[in-house]
């Protein structure tokens, strides 16, 4: 059973669980997602489309517009993940950023997952979005 976790973005985090154990972490460009997903039993991704609010506490209009553009890009990556998975016949579902849990630093991540290799924020987020599903059946 291969479970892939994805944190979509300009730097897309990919985490691979094999048999429930974290096997690898990587950061890729969005155009490499199809290759990263191929062969998975299931894909779990952080889905920005499930967030019903925008970041309304931003005081600057240019900053708010920049954030909106970035969220729109991530929404597009979520659409791409869904389409790739459908094309490959891989079950996939998104998890709301709110329900994903807090970001973990490298030490917290190692304690939670047992991972002793290098990691970055994107790869850790990908691993944690899939963590509850790492032993999921098809």
């Amino acid at each position: 059973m291969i479970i892939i976790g994805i944190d979509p973005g300009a730097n897309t985090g990919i985490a691979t669980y094999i048999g429930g154990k974290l096997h690898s972490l990587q950061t890729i460009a969005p155009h490499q997602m199809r290759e990263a997903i191929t062969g998975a039993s299931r894909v779990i991704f952080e889905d920005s489309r499930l967030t019903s609010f925008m970041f309304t506490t931003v005081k600057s209009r240019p900053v708010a517009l920049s954030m909106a553009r970035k969220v729109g890009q991530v929404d597009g990556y979520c659409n791409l993940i869904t389409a790739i998975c459908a094309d490959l016949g891989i079950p996939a579902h998104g998890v709301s950023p709110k329900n994903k849990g807090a970001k973990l630093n490298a030490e917290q991540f190692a304690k939670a997952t047992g991972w002793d290799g290098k990691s970055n924020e994107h790869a850790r987020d990908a691993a944690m979005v899939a963590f509850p599903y790492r032993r999921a059946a098809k």
Side-chain angles (χ1 to χ4, degrees):
M1 178 70 62
I2 299 172
I3 306 296
I4 302 289
I6 303 177
D7 176 37
N11 297 302
T12 296
I14 302 285
T16 303
Y17 289 93
I18 299 176
K21 183 174 172 22
L22 184 56
H23 182 264
S24 67
L25 295 175
Q26 58 182 321
T27 304
I28 62 171
H31 73 275
Q32 298 171 301
M33 280 194 280
R34 184 180 189 91
E35 182 180 337
I37 292 170
T38 299
S41 305
R42 178 176 297 277
V43 171
I44 314 299
F45 62 98
E46 184 173 345
D47 193 345
S48 57
R49 302 169 303 174
L50 299 175
T51 301
S52 61
F53 67 91
M54 268 303 191
F55 304 93
T56 57
T57 59
V58 178
K59 294 179 175 45
S60 161
R61 179 166 168 76
V63 171
L65 291 173
S66 175
M67 288 178 96
R69 266 193 306 278
K70 288 177 185 174
V71 170
Q73 287 174 334
V74 174
D75 285 355
Y77 298 143
C78 291
N79 288 333
L80 180 60
I81 293 166
T82 302
I84 291 169
C85 288
D87 189 44
L88 296 173
I90 299 170
H93 76 270
V95 174
S96 166
K98 183 179 176 182
N99 294 336
K100 175 191 60 107
K103 292 193 178 290
L104 301 180
N105 64 32
E107 183 180 323
Q108 294 166 322
F109 180 73
K111 186 174 182 179
T113 64
W115 183 257
D116 62 359
K118 291 185 178 184
S119 66
N120 63 35
E121 179 181 336
H122 307 294
R124 288 192 299 267
D125 282 353
M128 295 315 294
V129 78
F131 189 76
Y133 307 95
R134 68 193 182 279
R135 293 185 180 96
K138 265 190 169 178

